[in-house]
Amino acid sequence: GDSVTQTEGQVALSEEDFLTIHCNYSASGYPTLFWYVQYPGEGPQLLFRASRDKEKGSSRGFEATYDKGTTSFHLRKASVQESDSAVYYCALRPSSFSKLVFGQGTSLSVVP
Amino acid sequence: EAAVTQSPRSKVAVTGGKVTLSCHQTNNHDYMYWYRQDTGHGLRLIHYSYVADSTEKGDIPDGYKASRPSQENFSLILELASLSQTAVYFCASSEPLGGNTGQLYFGEGSKLTVL
């Protein structure tokens, strides 16, 4: 079945560090890929999405590029801030438009 | 602004007791969902509904029931709460997933502790 794998469970960085959170997926066809962010005490909210190969999604300085060849959608940010501390979820919507599939989540902690 | 509200936001229940978590949305969305969040497991789908008076099983439905009495309201029911059901529960709503966005709108979560 369709699945999403995030390899980092927790990431700890200092402000201005470069961030990469890895996301790999398994799905047939061309799923839509998402990154959601969950700030403390809140529900997850959409960060951005991408629906075609090589499409780049971006928001709030974060970006990810849909790569069908490597089945990846890695999240990157050049310079993180303390306010970026949150849980990040990679997700996919299958081509069949059935329910969303979420990865395990990555907890990001940024210290000043 | 789209809104999904959950109640209660926090609850302590006893093992074997009945728990009802409620969700109300003002997004005019047909689809509603209940997810469970656990560290290391991410968000797992318990039940969902795409029309009032009808619910569907998600990936982990055992031990849970759901009720959708209207488009706006969706409840999650634990008839016999167990320790393993201690978790944070999220309700969400969306347009049909075949639509343009496929975006889910989440509530703020309900923290359930079963003792």
Side-chain angles (χ1 to χ4, degrees):
Chain A
D2 302 316
S3 66
V4 175
T5 301
Q6 294 177 234
T7 51
E8 297 91 356
Q10 295 185 32
V11 175
L13 297 173
S14 299
E15 281 192 327
E16 300 183 10
D17 281 352
F18 189 93
L19 168 71
T20 300
I21 298 176
H22 295 93
C23 172
N24 287 91
Y25 70 90
S26 174
S28 59
Y30 284 87
T32 299
L33 303 175
F34 303 81
W35 276 103
Y36 279 80
V37 57
Q38 182 184 8
Y39 297 106
E42 300 181 8
Q45 57 185 274
L46 181 67
L47 192 55
F48 55 79
R49 72 175 68 83
S51 56
R52 301 182 304 277
D53 190 22
K54 308 305 181 191
E55 180 179 356
K56 178 187 287 187
S58 63
S59 176
R60 309 180 202 179
F62 292 89
E63 63 179 36
T65 300
Y66 192 135
D67 190 329
K68 185 170 175 61
T70 59
T71 61
S72 66
F73 193 53
H74 305 319
L75 182 68
R76 294 184 168 91
K77 186 175 186 182
S79 176
V80 295
Q81 302 300 312
E82 186 177 10
S83 58
D84 293 326
S85 296
V87 178
Y88 293 82
Y89 287 101
C90 185
L92 70 80
R93 177 182 67 172
S95 302
S96 62
F97 301 133
S98 59
K99 56 187 184 294
L100 261 67
V101 178
F102 285 88
Q104 300 91 328
T106 298
S107 178
L108 171 65
S109 176
V110 180
V111 296
Chain B
E1 183 77 17
V4 178
T5 54
Q6 297 181 225
S7 62
R9 293 292 313 281
S10 180
K11 183 173 181 63
V12 178
V14 296
T15 302
K18 182 177 181 178
V19 176
T20 299
L21 304 179
S22 300
C23 179
H24 178 81
Q25 56 106 352
T26 58
N27 301 330
N28 198 33
H29 287 160
D30 287 327
Y31 280 66
M32 295 188 74
Y33 313 81
W34 276 106
Y35 284 89
R36 170 176 172 156
Q37 182 180 50
D38 300 276
T39 302
H41 291 281
L43 294 164
R44 294 183 289 175
L45 182 64
I46 307 171
H47 286 287
Y48 65 101
S49 169
Y50 52 83
V51 67
D53 296 321
S54 178
T55 63
E56 305 292 332
K57 293 181 179 179
D59 299 320
I60 55 164
D62 293 345
Y64 302 94
K65 293 183 180 180
S67 174
R68 181 91 181 272
S70 64
Q71 185 195 41
E72 298 81 12
N73 296 293
F74 191 36
S75 297
L76 184 68
I77 303 153
L78 290 66
E79 295 279 5
L80 295 170
S82 66
L83 294 174
S84 64
Q85 293 176 313
T86 292
V88 180
Y89 293 85
F90 286 96
C91 178
S93 73
S94 78
E95 297 175 346
L97 291 182
N100 289 335
T101 70
Q103 179 179 351
L104 268 60
Y105 295 85
F106 285 87
E108 294 184 321
S110 296
K111 182 177 181 180
L112 174 64
T113 303
V114 182
L115 302 176

